[in-house]
Amino acid sequence: MARIIVVTSGKGGVGKTTSSASFSTGLAMRGFKTAVIDFDVGLRNLDLIMGCERRVVYDLINVVNKEATLTQALIKDKHCENLFILPASQTRDKDALTEDGVERVLNDLVQMGFDYIICDSPAGIEHGALMALTFADEAVIVTNPEVSSVRDSDRILGILQAKSRRAQSGGEPVKEHLLITRYSPRRVENDEMLSYEDVQEILRIPLIGIIPESEAVLHASNQGNPAIHFKDTDVAQAYQDVVGRFLGEEIPLRYTSYEKPGFLQRLFGAK
């Protein structure tokens, strides 16, 4: 049975689309047929991060409005046999998304045999974000370890628990996962950001992973290649761990502790 997963955040710029790209790629690399949908109508960044922006002919709004079929609009990923991207429109308004239209698209993807459908939500609680989370079975809440980001994530949890289709019908709640991005143990040690324990204490949902602060994320975005493909980097390993934990594997947390440099390291310029 297909699972619909929304990747969402209360605040923009926290690494949500980067995480959607790597998470969906990781599932596809494990052999699952996966679709990732960009709900950020008007901006459309997912196709850039996935490296398929030149192949966009039809988009989500075209499918919702029955101007194109899903088969026409879905873009097959260059690197993963099982991964398909449904881009957003840059020229339409977010109000072009309708609940009936989104439900039809999701049902059609289920009928096409997808195992996982990842909905890359816009930040905040505007119309596109509500459409992305309405039909979710599970949610990955992406937050940075700083107060305003965590506060906004708490707001998103409230929306999920009140306005998702599962909440409206009185069904089983949406399963929630916490993903902390741009984490720096050194900055935590220096009291420059919240610790992951602080974030968990505030949000009270299960932690699925910690993505370390890294320039590899910027390099990946600029190259149009999900960060999980950047082998031998902490970021790629962290996203692989996230996918493993999501699939039920017992994987210890990494990238959470800071080892202060010794005297010689400080002498020779270690940070």
Side-chain angles (χ1 to χ4, degrees):
M1 183 66 181
R3 299 288 287 175
I4 299 171
I5 302 142
V6 63
V7 180
T8 185
S9 66
K11 185 179 179 182
V14 300
K16 174 184 48 55
T17 298
T18 294
S19 296
S20 295
S22 285
F23 183 59
S24 57
T25 298
L27 288 169
M29 289 166 69
R30 294 289 195 104
F32 295 101
K33 188 176 181 182
T34 305
V36 57
I37 307 172
D38 190 349
F39 276 82
D40 203 352
V41 176
L43 292 178
R44 203 181 87 186
N45 288 316
L46 180 66
D47 55 304
L48 290 170
I49 289 176
M50 303 292 286
C52 63
E53 68 278 7
R54 294 184 186 88
R55 291 189 284 149
V56 175
V57 178
Y58 297 108
D59 55 53
L60 173 61
I61 300 299
N62 293 134
V63 181
V64 165
N65 290 340
K66 299 184 180 180
E67 298 161 352
T69 65
L70 258 179
T71 304
Q72 289 176 296
L74 284 171
I75 301 170
K76 190 172 183 178
D77 186 69
K78 298 174 183 177
H79 307 287
C80 295
E81 184 73 18
N82 298 313
L83 182 59
F84 296 81
I85 300 102
L86 182 55
S89 170
Q90 281 186 309
T91 59
R92 306 290 183 94
D93 187 82
K94 289 178 172 63
D95 291 333
L97 284 174
T98 64
E99 192 166 308
D100 288 344
V102 170
E103 184 174 21
R104 178 169 43 79
V105 170
L106 294 173
N107 286 339
D108 287 349
L109 287 167
V110 172
Q111 293 301 314
M112 291 171 71
F114 282 91
D115 299 302
Y116 291 105
I117 301 164
I118 313 301
C119 300
D120 180 37
S121 169
I125 55 174
E126 46 79 30
H127 184 69
L130 294 177
M131 289 297 98
L133 66 81
T134 295
F135 301 98
D137 299 311
E138 305 191 41
V140 176
I141 312 298
V142 183
T143 188
N144 292 159
E146 51 98 10
V147 172
S148 63
S149 180
V150 175
R151 179 198 62 198
D152 291 348
S153 293
D154 208 16
R155 173 68 171 147
I156 287 295
L157 287 170
I159 297 293
L160 265 173
Q161 292 158 7
K163 294 195 174 183
S164 68
R165 180 64 65 87
R166 283 171 173 253
Q168 293 173 32
S169 66
E172 184 181 341
V174 174
K175 187 176 181 180
E176 298 158 343
H177 309 275
L178 172 62
L179 178 63
I180 301 174
T181 54
R182 297 181 179 166
Y183 194 78
S184 169
R186 179 183 63 81
R187 294 180 64 195
V188 172
E189 181 77 17
N190 293 335
D191 293 325
E192 295 172 7
M193 65 169 51
L194 299 173
S195 70
Y196 74 91
E197 294 101 333
D198 292 334
V199 178
Q200 267 196 295
E201 178 66 24
I202 296 167
L203 296 180
R204 299 295 181 95
I205 61 174
L207 179 63
I208 198 173
I210 293 172
I211 310 301
E213 197 169 45
S214 173
E215 290 184 4
V217 173
L218 180 61
H219 296 324
S221 297
N222 288 339
Q223 293 180 29
N225 202 1
I228 198 170
H229 284 311
F230 275 55
K231 295 181 180 179
D232 303 321
T233 66
D234 289 351
V235 169
Q237 186 60 65
Y239 277 119
Q240 289 167 10
D241 288 352
V242 168
V243 172
R245 291 189 196 100
F246 177 79
L247 296 173
E249 299 171 10
E250 294 288 337
I251 301 173
L253 284 174
R254 311 189 218 201
Y255 318 118
T256 60
S257 58
Y258 173 63
E259 187 175 331
K260 291 184 178 180
F263 173 74
L264 290 177
Q265 289 174 300
R266 295 198 304 272
L267 187 64
F268 291 103
K271 294 181 179 179

